[in-house]
Amino acid sequence: PSDTYDPTSETELLLQRGLYHLNLFRNLGRQGDFERAANALQSAIDQQPDRADGPVGMALLHNARIVTGAPAADVVPECEKWVQRAMAIQPRSSKAWAILGELETIRRPEQVRRPLEYGLKAAAFGPRDGFAHTRLAGCFMMHSYELSLVAANEGARLDPLVLDAPIYAAISLNALNRSDEALSTIRNVLEIEPDTVFGRLIEALIL
């Protein structure tokens, strides 16, 4: 009956569908997954515009275009638009702060302090957010590979679906002259998702 209709449940389904295709796009770079994710997330936003999850998902989706080779000049403005929209709704969004830190790194790679500040805020606001800890690992790489490895391992523990976490761990292990462990780590990633472009690139660099 119409009087018992709950739009929240449909929004949840749209968000989960969007995040599912987002993960596929981030790992495989297929345009079809980008479009399916964008359509589902936009529908969720249309249904509940006062909820931060949809804009955060859109920011994550556009952020993932960097890994697939899209020019930063195309990605950053679109990504930042969605990040700011998410933070206007939820200023303590861990994922929004994590993405903001990455955008700072892309725009000003020589400035390492502000991205780290944003990465630490992301992890503080999202102690159980694997993505936030993974982005913190990326920030730490400019300061300490040991700390980056700790953050990457925590990201992998919190969310095994965030494959960037073990990839970052492999990068740090290799930089710490632990190449055998680095190769083993990256090959574990490739067993999960053999076609991930980022993983294949790091395997080649380690070899």
Side-chain angles (χ1 to χ4, degrees):
S2 59
D3 59 349
T4 62
Y5 172 67
D6 179 10
T8 306
S9 59
E10 186 176 345
T11 304
E12 283 293 340
L13 285 172
L14 287 166
L15 285 169
Q16 291 306 314
R17 186 182 307 157
L19 293 175
Y20 171 76
H21 288 291
L22 161 61
N23 277 326
L24 287 175
F25 176 69
R26 183 163 49 205
N27 293 335
L28 302 176
R30 297 184 304 213
Q31 186 61 27
D33 285 313
F34 177 89
E35 291 165 2
R36 282 184 280 273
N39 289 338
L41 291 167
Q42 186 62 61
S43 296
I45 292 165
D46 292 343
Q47 282 197 0
Q48 289 193 277
D50 59 343
R51 185 170 171 172
D53 305 54
V56 164
M58 287 293 259
L60 287 167
L61 180 61
H62 285 281
N63 178 255
R65 291 170 61 204
I66 289 285
V67 181
T68 66
D74 293 346
V75 174
V76 170
E78 190 70 17
C79 193
E80 188 160 44
K81 177 187 79 175
W82 289 108
V83 168
Q84 296 300 340
R85 181 165 171 178
M87 293 186 78
I89 300 168
Q90 175 50 270
R92 293 169 64 91
S93 167
S94 57
K95 287 183 173 63
W97 278 104
I99 296 167
L100 206 57
E102 186 160 3
L103 294 180
E104 280 293 315
T105 301
I106 293 167
R107 273 194 299 243
R108 289 177 279 272
E110 74 284 356
Q111 298 291 330
V112 297
R113 183 172 178 175
R114 185 172 291 177
L116 178 58
E117 176 191 336
Y118 292 167
L120 289 167
K121 282 186 176 181
F125 292 150
R128 294 182 177 84
D129 182 347
F131 178 81
H133 285 273
T134 301
R135 293 272 76 83
L136 177 59
C139 296
F140 270 142
M141 274 187 201
M142 304 302 293
H143 302 267
S144 164
Y145 284 112
E146 288 89 349
L147 289 174
S148 180
L149 180 59
V150 171
N153 285 337
E154 181 66 1
R157 185 187 72 79
L158 289 166
D159 190 347
L161 293 178
V162 180
L163 295 183
D164 282 3
I167 293 175
Y168 282 2
I171 294 170
S172 290
L173 286 166
N174 194 53
L176 293 167
N177 295 316
R178 295 162 62 180
S179 56
D180 288 348
E181 292 173 76
L183 199 56
S184 174
T185 300
I186 203 68
R187 285 180 172 165
N188 285 340
V189 171
L190 294 172
E191 282 183 13
I192 297 168
E193 187 49 81
D195 296 325
T196 175
V197 177
F198 190 22
R200 287 292 177 192
L201 174 62
I202 298 306
E203 180 192 35
L205 289 171
I206 294 169
L207 290 170

